[in-house]
Amino acid sequence: MNITLMSLRLILSIFVIVWPDALIANISSCDDQNLYRTLSSSTNQYVMADLLFARQEPNKNSKILSYLKQGQKIKLANEPKVFENDRLWTKIKFPSSTEAKLTGWVDSNYLSKNPLRHLSNIEKYKNIDFEFDEKVCAHKNNPRRKVRGIYLTMYSAFGKHLDRFLQLANRSSINSFVVDYKDELGKIIFKSETVKKMNPVQAKRVLIKDPKTLPERTKLENIYLIGKLVVFKDDSYARQFPASAIKHKDGRLFEDRDGIAWVNPYNREYWNYVLGIAEEMARSGVNEIQFDYIRFPDTNKPLLMSAEEKRARVEVIHEFLKEAYKRLKPHGVYVSADVFGLVPNTAGDLYIGQHWESLSSVIDYISPMMYPSHYSKGFASIKDPDMNPYDTIYHSARGAVNRSQKMTQPATIRPWIQGFTATWLRSHIKYGQTELQAQIDALASLGVDEYLIWNPGNRYENLLKQESNVSIDVADSASN
């Protein structure tokens, strides 16, 4: 069957097919002073064109031997370049195993040592700072940890509930808690001056008056505390200040499938609201701030955003995180973000503003939500992803690892993995210790040694291997 050039361009522009040649994920370790790996090489280069022809001879009329896709890593043959027909030609070795001994010639103008250079030619990425130079190796009074964490609602993070989760951590491999500091309803766990000033109605509803209480307790127990802060999905703020909210084209307030309103990501005043809360969290002593719902709503409905809507969504999300990093860096905390599990395996931004390299370049940790139950049937040729936790996590994480390897300053990959049973699926399995360990093993096979376990009801006693049984009361909380 003949495939036209246009068809090939379309296919290659939709998905990034990744075949890593050296799967080592811990690019961002602080084992030495060189945190970020230099990728320039005299033998490896990357394709800049949408589609590049590899020819038999250094001539534009020569036979086409193969097609190379944009961003593809190639090895150079050990031969001098040739100038022919007003073009400089480079001899390459074909990357696939079946063609390993074959060579061809490509136009040198479409090769680069910088694997992300081709993105600058795409309109929506032209203002993305892929070389953000303010990232730190480690904060002096806040050393990095190889995190093995669990999620806790804000109701699980104080009193007897907290005591029992600390006991669980002491008897298992868990060394980190990810705690809701601000959820999608707009609720805040602590008494915030920012909220009091900018959203006084919400300031009346807090659980902990002194924001230092929780960080002091977790530090005493040697627990790395990650404060989870929901960003643009904020029902309280959007309804309290409707001018800031995302709306339908007819002016009605937009609500997602959960009936929750969203704040317009273009709204700079709201940026200050969220980052003001984040700075208070940092001053209180949390080790890391994790931004959640750092995206536009995933909907196919036409929405009314703002006069700035011509700016690409990916640029807006990138700029928010870049601003967050600059403001939080002086406080000695790390910055992380949650992203859709499909983001590392998709070339674009899923129309929600989440593009792997654009996010990873301006944060310390990136957490794709790789729950097997959330992948559709047939993902990576897996019939039922939920019933195959190892394979699903392996194929999903492989894309993340390969794309991060091509960056000069990538965030450390720390995925969310599944700690719950997806009873709503017709084809599902019960998730316990075996299924959890399968996911951890899949990550480890790729060099990913950090992870976060998600269970919305905070039921972990049957998931984690412990020295002895630990009974934990389930917190009174709605699932996120």
Side-chain angles (χ1 to χ4, degrees):
M1 179 176 65
N2 292 326
I3 300 177
T4 64
L5 176 59
M6 182 176 294
S7 298
L8 282 168
R9 286 175 183 268
L10 178 61
I11 292 169
L12 295 175
S13 66
I14 295 175
F15 293 105
V16 173
I17 302 172
V18 288
W19 300 105
D21 53 0
L23 293 169
I24 303 173
N26 292 323
I27 300 168
S28 299
S29 66
C30 276
D31 295 336
D32 51 51
Q33 295 302 310
N34 183 23
L35 173 61
Y36 299 114
R37 186 163 61 93
T38 301
L39 290 161
S40 60
S41 168
S42 58
T43 60
N44 294 331
Q45 293 204 13
Y46 298 85
V47 177
M48 299 297 106
D50 290 343
L51 200 64
L52 184 61
F53 301 133
R55 299 181 182 273
Q56 190 172 37
E57 301 293 339
N59 188 302
K60 65 180 181 180
N61 297 318
S62 179
K63 179 182 177 181
I64 297 174
L65 300 177
S66 184
Y67 300 96
L68 304 173
K69 66 179 182 290
Q70 191 176 73
Q72 187 170 344
K73 180 180 178 180
I74 58 174
K75 290 184 178 294
L76 306 186
N78 188 25
E79 291 192 24
K81 295 181 180 181
V82 173
F83 190 78
E84 182 73 26
N85 297 129
D86 296 325
R87 296 186 185 187
L88 189 64
W89 297 85
T90 298
K91 196 169 188 178
I92 66 164
K93 298 177 181 179
F94 290 140
S96 69
S97 58
T98 58
E99 300 173 323
K101 296 181 180 181
L102 299 180
T103 60
W105 293 88
V106 297
D107 190 330
S108 304
N109 289 324
Y110 298 107
L111 297 179
S112 174
K113 292 181 180 179
N114 181 355
L116 301 181
R117 182 182 161 193
H118 69 281
L119 293 176
S120 62
N121 297 324
I122 302 174
E123 181 66 22
K124 65 181 177 181
Y125 302 124
K126 68 179 182 180
N127 294 321
I128 301 299
D129 186 1
F130 293 112
E131 301 286 336
F132 183 59
D133 60 3
E134 296 200 26
K135 295 177 78 168
V136 299
C137 173
H139 294 290
K140 183 178 180 181
N141 297 317
N142 184 15
R144 289 182 182 245
R145 299 277 290 275
K146 297 292 186 184
V147 164
R148 302 178 298 277
I150 56 174
Y151 160 72
L152 300 182
T153 70
M154 58 180 67
Y155 300 98
S156 295
F158 66 97
K160 293 182 179 179
H161 294 311
L162 178 62
D163 291 341
R164 288 166 178 168
F165 283 110
L166 287 169
Q167 184 183 23
L168 173 63
N170 188 49
R171 295 184 178 180
S172 66
S173 62
I174 296 302
N175 64 5
S176 175
F177 293 163
V178 183
V179 177
D180 273 331
Y181 266 68
K182 174 181 173 295
D183 67 13
E184 64 265 36
L185 297 177
K187 291 184 293 186
I188 310 291
I189 192 174
F190 69 97
K191 189 175 181 180
S192 163
E193 291 301 316
T194 300
V195 178
K196 181 180 179 181
K197 178 182 178 181
M198 299 183 69
N199 189 9
V201 172
Q202 190 62 54
K204 300 175 184 178
R205 309 160 187 166
V206 298
L207 297 176
I208 302 174
K209 291 184 177 181
D210 185 355
K212 293 183 179 180
T213 302
L214 180 58
E216 287 177 351
R217 181 71 190 282
T218 53
K219 184 177 181 180
L220 186 65
E221 301 288 344
N222 198 30
I223 293 293
Y224 182 91
L225 179 61
I226 302 173
K228 186 168 174 285
L229 201 165
V230 170
V231 186
F232 298 116
K233 187 174 182 176
D234 189 325
D235 192 74
S236 171
Y237 194 97
R239 296 183 189 279
Q240 192 70 23
F241 305 99
S244 71
I246 295 177
K247 299 179 177 65
H248 292 282
K249 288 292 185 181
D250 61 7
R252 290 180 297 113
L253 184 71
F254 166 78
E255 295 178 347
D256 63 16
R257 61 181 66 90
D258 299 319
I260 295 177
W262 288 59
V263 178
N264 183 352
Y266 293 94
N267 189 298
R268 289 272 177 169
E269 185 176 356
Y270 182 71
W271 286 23
N272 287 327
Y273 176 69
V274 171
L275 296 181
I277 296 172
E279 287 176 314
E280 289 185 76
M281 292 166 60
R283 289 193 293 269
S284 75
V286 300
N287 299 100
E288 177 181 325
I289 293 172
Q290 182 187 86
F291 292 109
D292 194 15
Y293 287 97
I294 179 68
R295 61 177 176 85
F296 287 75
D298 56 315
T299 178
N300 56 8
K301 297 178 181 178
L303 301 176
L304 183 65
M305 299 286 183
S306 74
E308 277 194 292
E309 198 169 348
K310 291 183 179 179
R311 291 180 63 209
R313 295 185 175 194
V314 65
E315 181 182 337
V316 174
I317 301 303
H318 173 86
E319 284 298 323
F320 174 87
L321 288 173
K322 188 175 177 181
E323 177 69 17
Y325 201 100
K326 290 179 179 178
R327 287 178 58 165
L328 294 171
K329 180 180 175 180
H331 298 290
V333 294
Y334 300 103
V335 177
S336 61
D338 297 335
V339 302
F340 273 10
L342 279 176
V343 169
N345 294 286
T346 306
D349 68 338
L350 296 172
Y351 204 55
I352 59 173
Q354 290 189 347
H355 171 252
W356 186 261
E357 289 82 0
S358 301
L359 297 168
S360 183
S361 60
V362 288
I363 54 179
D364 297 306
Y365 296 92
I366 188 165
S367 296
M369 298 176 285
M370 295 182 175
Y371 316 126
S373 61
H374 284 38
Y375 291 89
S376 60
K377 288 178 177 290
F379 168 75
S381 299
I382 302 170
K383 182 180 179 181
D384 293 299
D386 184 74
M387 300 178 70
N388 294 275
Y390 182 96
D391 291 342
T392 303
I393 293 295
Y394 178 85
H395 285 284
S396 183
R398 185 172 68 170
V401 171
N402 190 51
R403 288 177 72 168
S404 290
Q405 282 188 317
K406 294 178 181 179
M407 298 179 64
T408 55
Q409 300 184 85
T412 296
I413 302 167
R414 186 203 289 150
W416 281 101
I417 57 177
Q418 184 167 323
F420 58 89
T421 298
T423 54
W424 65 89
L425 293 177
R426 179 175 297 178
S427 299
H428 72 275
I429 57 174
K430 184 176 181 179
Y431 271 61
Q433 291 184 12
T434 300
E435 292 70 27
L436 181 67
Q437 191 61 49
Q439 297 174 83
I440 295 171
D441 290 345
L443 294 174
S445 71
L446 297 169
V448 179
D449 55 6
E450 299 192 41
Y451 55 85
L452 303 170
I453 306 170
W454 176 264
N455 182 291
N458 298 172
R459 299 177 176 88
Y460 300 105
E461 61 270 30
N462 295 323
L463 282 170
L464 303 172
K465 295 179 181 179
Q466 305 166 44
E467 293 180 2
S468 60
N469 292 329
V470 179
S471 177
I472 298 178
D473 290 343
V474 177
D476 275 342
S477 169
S479 298
N480 284 350

Short mmCIF file of all heavy atoms in Angstrom, two decimals, residues 349-397:
data_model
loop_
_atom_site.label_atom_id
_atom_site.label_comp_id
_atom_site.label_asym_id
_atom_site.label_seq_id
_atom_site.Cartn_x
_atom_site.Cartn_y
_atom_site.Cartn_z
N ASP A 349 -0.04 18.51 23.63
CA ASP A 349 -0.39 18.87 25.01
C ASP A 349 -1.79 18.43 25.39
O ASP A 349 -2.33 18.88 26.40
CB ASP A 349 -0.24 20.38 25.21
CG ASP A 349 -1.28 21.19 24.43
OD1 ASP A 349 -1.82 20.65 23.45
OD2 ASP A 349 -1.53 22.34 24.81
N LEU A 350 -2.40 17.54 24.58
CA LEU A 350 -3.74 17.01 24.83
C LEU A 350 -4.80 18.11 24.91
O LEU A 350 -5.88 17.91 25.45
CB LEU A 350 -3.77 16.18 26.13
CG LEU A 350 -2.91 14.90 26.13
CD1 LEU A 350 -2.87 14.29 27.52
CD2 LEU A 350 -3.46 13.89 25.14
N TYR A 351 -4.44 19.28 24.44
CA TYR A 351 -5.30 20.46 24.45
C TYR A 351 -5.67 20.90 25.88
O TYR A 351 -6.66 21.57 26.10
CB TYR A 351 -6.57 20.24 23.62
CG TYR A 351 -7.18 21.53 23.11
CD1 TYR A 351 -6.41 22.44 22.37
CD2 TYR A 351 -8.50 21.86 23.38
CE1 TYR A 351 -6.96 23.63 21.92
CE2 TYR A 351 -9.06 23.05 22.93
CZ TYR A 351 -8.28 23.93 22.19
OH TYR A 351 -8.82 25.12 21.76
N ILE A 352 -4.86 20.50 26.83
CA ILE A 352 -5.08 20.94 28.22
C ILE A 352 -3.85 21.71 28.74
O ILE A 352 -3.81 22.10 29.90
CB ILE A 352 -5.37 19.75 29.15
CG1 ILE A 352 -4.22 18.74 29.13
CG2 ILE A 352 -6.69 19.08 28.78
CD1 ILE A 352 -4.36 17.62 30.15
N GLY A 353 -2.85 21.89 27.87
CA GLY A 353 -1.67 22.65 28.26
C GLY A 353 -0.57 21.84 28.89
O GLY A 353 0.42 22.39 29.36
N GLN A 354 -0.72 20.49 28.91
CA GLN A 354 0.30 19.64 29.53
C GLN A 354 1.15 18.97 28.45
O GLN A 354 0.73 17.98 27.85
CB GLN A 354 -0.35 18.60 30.45
CG GLN A 354 -0.96 19.19 31.69
CD GLN A 354 -1.41 18.15 32.71
OE1 GLN A 354 -1.50 16.96 32.41
NE2 GLN A 354 -1.71 18.59 33.91
N HIS A 355 2.34 19.51 28.25
CA HIS A 355 3.30 18.97 27.29
C HIS A 355 4.54 18.58 28.08
O HIS A 355 5.05 19.38 28.88
CB HIS A 355 3.64 20.03 26.23
CG HIS A 355 4.76 19.66 25.32
ND1 HIS A 355 6.00 20.27 25.40
CD2 HIS A 355 4.85 18.74 24.33
CE1 HIS A 355 6.80 19.75 24.48
NE2 HIS A 355 6.13 18.83 23.83
N TRP A 356 4.99 17.35 27.93
CA TRP A 356 6.01 16.78 28.82
C TRP A 356 7.22 17.68 28.99
O TRP A 356 7.59 18.06 30.11
CB TRP A 356 6.43 15.40 28.31
CG TRP A 356 7.37 14.69 29.24
CD1 TRP A 356 8.72 14.61 29.13
CD2 TRP A 356 7.02 13.98 30.43
NE1 TRP A 356 9.25 13.88 30.17
CE2 TRP A 356 8.23 13.49 31.00
CE3 TRP A 356 5.81 13.72 31.08
CZ2 TRP A 356 8.25 12.75 32.17
CZ3 TRP A 356 5.84 12.97 32.25
CH2 TRP A 356 7.05 12.50 32.79
N GLU A 357 7.87 18.04 27.91
CA GLU A 357 9.11 18.82 28.01
C GLU A 357 8.86 20.23 28.55
O GLU A 357 9.69 20.78 29.29
CB GLU A 357 9.80 18.90 26.64
CG GLU A 357 10.41 17.59 26.16
CD GLU A 357 9.42 16.64 25.53
OE1 GLU A 357 8.22 16.98 25.44
OE2 GLU A 357 9.84 15.54 25.10
N SER A 358 7.71 20.81 28.20
CA SER A 358 7.40 22.17 28.66
C SER A 358 7.20 22.22 30.17
O SER A 358 7.52 23.22 30.82
CB SER A 358 6.14 22.68 27.95
OG SER A 358 6.31 22.70 26.55
N LEU A 359 6.67 21.14 30.74
CA LEU A 359 6.49 21.06 32.18
C LEU A 359 7.78 20.67 32.89
O LEU A 359 8.20 21.30 33.87
CB LEU A 359 5.40 20.04 32.51
CG LEU A 359 3.99 20.32 31.99
CD1 LEU A 359 3.13 19.08 32.15
CD2 LEU A 359 3.37 21.49 32.72
N SER A 360 8.40 19.62 32.40
CA SER A 360 9.59 19.06 33.04
C SER A 360 10.74 20.05 33.12
O SER A 360 11.56 19.97 34.03
CB SER A 360 10.03 17.79 32.29
OG SER A 360 11.13 17.18 32.92
N SER A 361 10.79 20.98 32.19
CA SER A 361 11.91 21.93 32.14
C SER A 361 11.88 22.97 33.26
O SER A 361 12.90 23.61 33.53
CB SER A 361 11.95 22.63 30.79
OG SER A 361 10.75 23.35 30.57
N VAL A 362 10.73 23.15 33.93
CA VAL A 362 10.63 24.23 34.92
C VAL A 362 10.21 23.75 36.31
O VAL A 362 9.80 24.55 37.15
CB VAL A 362 9.66 25.33 34.44
CG1 VAL A 362 10.28 26.12 33.30
CG2 VAL A 362 8.32 24.75 34.02
N ILE A 363 10.31 22.45 36.58
CA ILE A 363 10.00 21.92 37.90
C ILE A 363 11.05 20.90 38.31
O ILE A 363 11.86 20.47 37.50
CB ILE A 363 8.60 21.27 37.95
CG1 ILE A 363 8.46 20.20 36.84
CG2 ILE A 363 7.51 22.32 37.84
CD1 ILE A 363 7.11 19.50 36.83
N ASP A 364 11.02 20.52 39.60
CA ASP A 364 12.00 19.56 40.12
C ASP A 364 11.54 18.11 39.97
O ASP A 364 12.36 17.21 39.74
CB ASP A 364 12.28 19.85 41.60
CG ASP A 364 12.89 21.22 41.82
OD1 ASP A 364 13.93 21.52 41.19
OD2 ASP A 364 12.32 22.01 42.60
N TYR A 365 10.25 17.89 40.13
CA TYR A 365 9.69 16.53 40.06
C TYR A 365 8.42 16.56 39.21
O TYR A 365 7.63 17.50 39.31
CB TYR A 365 9.35 15.99 41.45
CG TYR A 365 10.54 15.82 42.35
CD1 TYR A 365 10.95 16.85 43.19
CD2 TYR A 365 11.28 14.63 42.35
CE1 TYR A 365 12.06 16.71 44.02
CE2 TYR A 365 12.39 14.48 43.16
CZ TYR A 365 12.78 15.52 43.99
OH TYR A 365 13.88 15.37 44.80
N ILE A 366 8.24 15.53 38.41
CA ILE A 366 7.03 15.42 37.59
C ILE A 366 6.36 14.08 37.87
O ILE A 366 7.02 13.04 37.89
CB ILE A 366 7.36 15.61 36.10
CG1 ILE A 366 6.08 15.69 35.27
CG2 ILE A 366 8.29 14.51 35.58
CD1 ILE A 366 6.30 16.23 33.86
N SER A 367 5.05 14.13 38.11
CA SER A 367 4.32 12.93 38.55
C SER A 367 3.18 12.60 37.60
O SER A 367 2.03 13.03 37.80
CB SER A 367 3.78 13.14 39.97
OG SER A 367 4.83 13.27 40.89
N PRO A 368 3.46 11.81 36.56
CA PRO A 368 2.38 11.34 35.69
C PRO A 368 1.50 10.35 36.46
O PRO A 368 1.99 9.49 37.18
CB PRO A 368 3.11 10.66 34.54
CG PRO A 368 4.45 10.29 35.09
CD PRO A 368 4.78 11.32 36.13
N MET A 369 0.19 10.49 36.30
CA MET A 369 -0.75 9.62 37.02
C MET A 369 -0.97 8.35 36.21
O MET A 369 -1.87 8.26 35.38
CB MET A 369 -2.05 10.39 37.26
CG MET A 369 -1.84 11.63 38.14
SD MET A 369 -3.32 12.65 38.35
CE MET A 369 -3.40 13.46 36.76
N MET A 370 -0.14 7.36 36.49
CA MET A 370 -0.10 6.14 35.67
C MET A 370 -0.94 5.01 36.24
O MET A 370 -0.48 3.87 36.36
CB MET A 370 1.36 5.70 35.52
CG MET A 370 2.22 6.67 34.74
SD MET A 370 3.92 6.08 34.54
CE MET A 370 4.59 7.36 33.47
N TYR A 371 -2.17 5.31 36.57
CA TYR A 371 -3.04 4.26 37.10
C TYR A 371 -3.48 3.33 35.96
O TYR A 371 -4.11 3.79 35.00
CB TYR A 371 -4.28 4.88 37.76
CG TYR A 371 -3.98 6.07 38.63
CD1 TYR A 371 -4.63 7.28 38.45
CD2 TYR A 371 -3.02 5.98 39.65
CE1 TYR A 371 -4.35 8.38 39.25
CE2 TYR A 371 -2.73 7.07 40.44
CZ TYR A 371 -3.40 8.27 40.24
OH TYR A 371 -3.11 9.37 41.03
N PRO A 372 -3.17 2.05 36.03
CA PRO A 372 -3.55 1.14 34.95
C PRO A 372 -5.04 1.19 34.59
O PRO A 372 -5.40 1.04 33.43
CB PRO A 372 -3.16 -0.23 35.52
CG PRO A 372 -1.97 0.07 36.40
CD PRO A 372 -2.32 1.38 37.05
N SER A 373 -5.89 1.44 35.59
CA SER A 373 -7.33 1.48 35.34
C SER A 373 -7.75 2.66 34.46
O SER A 373 -8.85 2.67 33.91
CB SER A 373 -8.09 1.56 36.67
OG SER A 373 -7.74 2.74 37.37
N HIS A 374 -6.87 3.65 34.34
CA HIS A 374 -7.23 4.86 33.60
C HIS A 374 -6.81 4.81 32.13
O HIS A 374 -7.04 5.76 31.38
CB HIS A 374 -6.59 6.08 34.27
CG HIS A 374 -7.29 6.51 35.52
ND1 HIS A 374 -7.82 5.62 36.41
CD2 HIS A 374 -7.56 7.74 36.03
CE1 HIS A 374 -8.37 6.27 37.42
NE2 HIS A 374 -8.24 7.56 37.21
N TYR A 375 -6.17 3.71 31.72
CA TYR A 375 -5.78 3.57 30.31
C TYR A 375 -6.85 2.77 29.57
O TYR A 375 -7.40 1.80 30.11
CB TYR A 375 -4.42 2.87 30.19
CG TYR A 375 -3.27 3.71 30.69
CD1 TYR A 375 -2.89 3.65 32.03
CD2 TYR A 375 -2.58 4.55 29.83
CE1 TYR A 375 -1.84 4.43 32.51
CE2 TYR A 375 -1.53 5.33 30.30
CZ TYR A 375 -1.16 5.27 31.64
OH TYR A 375 -0.13 6.03 32.10
N SER A 376 -7.12 3.18 28.36
CA SER A 376 -8.16 2.51 27.58
C SER A 376 -7.67 1.15 27.08
O SER A 376 -6.46 0.91 26.97
CB SER A 376 -8.58 3.38 26.40
OG SER A 376 -7.47 3.64 25.55
N LYS A 377 -8.59 0.28 26.77
CA LYS A 377 -8.26 -1.03 26.23
C LYS A 377 -7.42 -0.87 24.96
O LYS A 377 -7.72 -0.03 24.12
CB LYS A 377 -9.53 -1.81 25.89
CG LYS A 377 -10.31 -2.31 27.09
CD LYS A 377 -11.57 -3.02 26.64
CE LYS A 377 -12.35 -3.60 27.81
NZ LYS A 377 -11.67 -4.75 28.42
N GLY A 378 -6.37 -1.64 24.86
CA GLY A 378 -5.51 -1.57 23.68
C GLY A 378 -4.32 -0.65 23.84
O GLY A 378 -3.47 -0.59 22.95
N PHE A 379 -4.22 0.08 24.96
CA PHE A 379 -3.04 0.91 25.18
C PHE A 379 -1.78 0.04 25.13
O PHE A 379 -1.70 -0.98 25.80
CB PHE A 379 -3.12 1.62 26.54
CG PHE A 379 -1.83 2.28 26.96
CD1 PHE A 379 -1.41 3.46 26.36
CD2 PHE A 379 -1.02 1.70 27.93
CE1 PHE A 379 -0.22 4.05 26.73
CE2 PHE A 379 0.18 2.29 28.31
CZ PHE A 379 0.57 3.47 27.70
N ALA A 380 -0.83 0.44 24.31
CA ALA A 380 0.42 -0.32 24.13
C ALA A 380 0.13 -1.79 23.80
O ALA A 380 0.87 -2.68 24.23
CB ALA A 380 1.30 -0.21 25.37
N SER A 381 -0.95 -2.03 23.07
CA SER A 381 -1.38 -3.39 22.67
C SER A 381 -1.74 -4.27 23.86
O SER A 381 -1.71 -5.50 23.77
CB SER A 381 -0.29 -4.06 21.83
OG SER A 381 -0.05 -3.32 20.64
N ILE A 382 -2.09 -3.65 24.98
CA ILE A 382 -2.52 -4.40 26.17
C ILE A 382 -4.04 -4.46 26.18
O ILE A 382 -4.71 -3.42 26.19
CB ILE A 382 -2.01 -3.71 27.45
CG1 ILE A 382 -0.47 -3.61 27.43
CG2 ILE A 382 -2.47 -4.48 28.69
CD1 ILE A 382 0.09 -2.75 28.53
N LYS A 383 -4.59 -5.65 26.15
CA LYS A 383 -6.04 -5.82 26.03
C LYS A 383 -6.78 -5.15 27.19
O LYS A 383 -7.73 -4.38 26.98
CB LYS A 383 -6.39 -7.31 25.97
CG LYS A 383 -7.87 -7.57 25.79
CD LYS A 383 -8.17 -9.06 25.73
CE LYS A 383 -9.67 -9.32 25.58
NZ LYS A 383 -9.98 -10.77 25.54
N ASP A 384 -6.36 -5.43 28.42
CA ASP A 384 -7.00 -4.86 29.61
C ASP A 384 -5.91 -4.30 30.53
O ASP A 384 -5.37 -5.03 31.37
CB ASP A 384 -7.82 -5.92 30.36
CG ASP A 384 -9.02 -6.39 29.57
OD1 ASP A 384 -9.88 -5.55 29.27
OD2 ASP A 384 -9.08 -7.60 29.24
N PRO A 385 -5.59 -3.01 30.40
CA PRO A 385 -4.50 -2.42 31.18
C PRO A 385 -4.62 -2.63 32.69
O PRO A 385 -3.63 -2.91 33.36
CB PRO A 385 -4.57 -0.94 30.81
CG PRO A 385 -5.11 -0.94 29.42
CD PRO A 385 -6.13 -2.05 29.41
N ASP A 386 -5.85 -2.52 33.23
CA ASP A 386 -6.01 -2.67 34.67
C ASP A 386 -5.62 -4.06 35.15
O ASP A 386 -5.14 -4.23 36.28
CB ASP A 386 -7.46 -2.38 35.07
CG ASP A 386 -7.66 -2.44 36.58
OD1 ASP A 386 -7.21 -1.49 37.25
OD2 ASP A 386 -8.24 -3.42 37.08
N MET A 387 -5.78 -5.06 34.28
CA MET A 387 -5.47 -6.43 34.66
C MET A 387 -4.00 -6.79 34.40
O MET A 387 -3.58 -7.90 34.67
CB MET A 387 -6.38 -7.39 33.90
CG MET A 387 -7.86 -7.15 34.20
SD MET A 387 -8.97 -8.24 33.26
CE MET A 387 -8.65 -9.82 34.05
N ASN A 388 -3.24 -5.82 33.91
CA ASN A 388 -1.82 -6.03 33.62
C ASN A 388 -0.99 -4.87 34.16
O ASN A 388 -0.44 -4.06 33.39
CB ASN A 388 -1.61 -6.18 32.11
CG ASN A 388 -2.27 -7.42 31.55
OD1 ASN A 388 -1.69 -8.51 31.56
ND2 ASN A 388 -3.48 -7.25 31.05
N PRO A 389 -0.90 -4.74 35.48
CA PRO A 389 -0.24 -3.57 36.07
C PRO A 389 1.22 -3.41 35.68
O PRO A 389 1.68 -2.30 35.43
CB PRO A 389 -0.40 -3.79 37.58
CG PRO A 389 -0.71 -5.25 37.74
CD PRO A 389 -1.47 -5.63 36.52
N TYR A 390 1.96 -4.53 35.58
CA TYR A 390 3.39 -4.41 35.24
C TYR A 390 3.56 -3.86 33.82
O TYR A 390 4.27 -2.88 33.60
CB TYR A 390 4.09 -5.76 35.36
CG TYR A 390 5.59 -5.68 35.05
CD1 TYR A 390 6.51 -5.54 36.09
CD2 TYR A 390 6.06 -5.71 33.74
CE1 TYR A 390 7.87 -5.44 35.82
CE2 TYR A 390 7.41 -5.60 33.46
CZ TYR A 390 8.31 -5.48 34.50
OH TYR A 390 9.66 -5.36 34.21
N ASP A 391 2.91 -4.49 32.86
CA ASP A 391 3.07 -4.08 31.46
C ASP A 391 2.58 -2.66 31.22
O ASP A 391 3.20 -1.89 30.49
CB ASP A 391 2.32 -5.04 30.53
CG ASP A 391 2.95 -6.42 30.48
OD1 ASP A 391 4.14 -6.54 30.87
OD2 ASP A 391 2.28 -7.38 30.07
N THR A 392 1.46 -2.31 31.84
CA THR A 392 0.91 -0.97 31.63
C THR A 392 1.84 0.10 32.17
O THR A 392 2.13 1.10 31.48
CB THR A 392 -0.47 -0.85 32.32
OG1 THR A 392 -1.34 -1.86 31.81
CG2 THR A 392 -1.08 0.52 32.05
N ILE A 393 2.33 -0.10 33.38
CA ILE A 393 3.25 0.89 33.96
C ILE A 393 4.55 0.93 33.18
O ILE A 393 5.10 2.01 32.91
CB ILE A 393 3.53 0.55 35.44
CG1 ILE A 393 2.27 0.74 36.28
CG2 ILE A 393 4.65 1.43 35.98
CD1 ILE A 393 1.76 2.16 36.35
N TYR A 394 5.05 -0.22 32.77
CA TYR A 394 6.31 -0.27 32.02
C TYR A 394 6.21 0.54 30.73
O TYR A 394 7.07 1.37 30.44
CB TYR A 394 6.71 -1.71 31.71
CG TYR A 394 7.98 -1.80 30.90
CD1 TYR A 394 9.22 -1.78 31.52
CD2 TYR A 394 7.94 -1.87 29.51
CE1 TYR A 394 10.39 -1.83 30.78
CE2 TYR A 394 9.10 -1.92 28.75
CZ TYR A 394 10.33 -1.90 29.40
OH TYR A 394 11.48 -1.93 28.66
N HIS A 395 5.18 0.30 29.95
CA HIS A 395 5.06 0.98 28.66
C HIS A 395 4.79 2.47 28.82
O HIS A 395 5.26 3.28 28.03
CB HIS A 395 3.97 0.32 27.82
CG HIS A 395 4.38 -1.00 27.24
ND1 HIS A 395 5.24 -1.10 26.16
CD2 HIS A 395 4.07 -2.27 27.60
CE1 HIS A 395 5.44 -2.37 25.87
NE2 HIS A 395 4.75 -3.10 26.73
N SER A 396 4.04 2.83 29.85
CA SER A 396 3.76 4.24 30.08
C SER A 396 5.02 4.96 30.56
O SER A 396 5.36 6.03 30.05
CB SER A 396 2.65 4.39 31.12
OG SER A 396 2.34 5.75 31.31
N ALA A 397 5.72 4.37 31.52
CA ALA A 397 6.92 5.00 32.08
C ALA A 397 8.07 5.04 31.08
O ALA A 397 8.92 5.94 31.12
CB ALA A 397 7.35 4.28 33.35
#
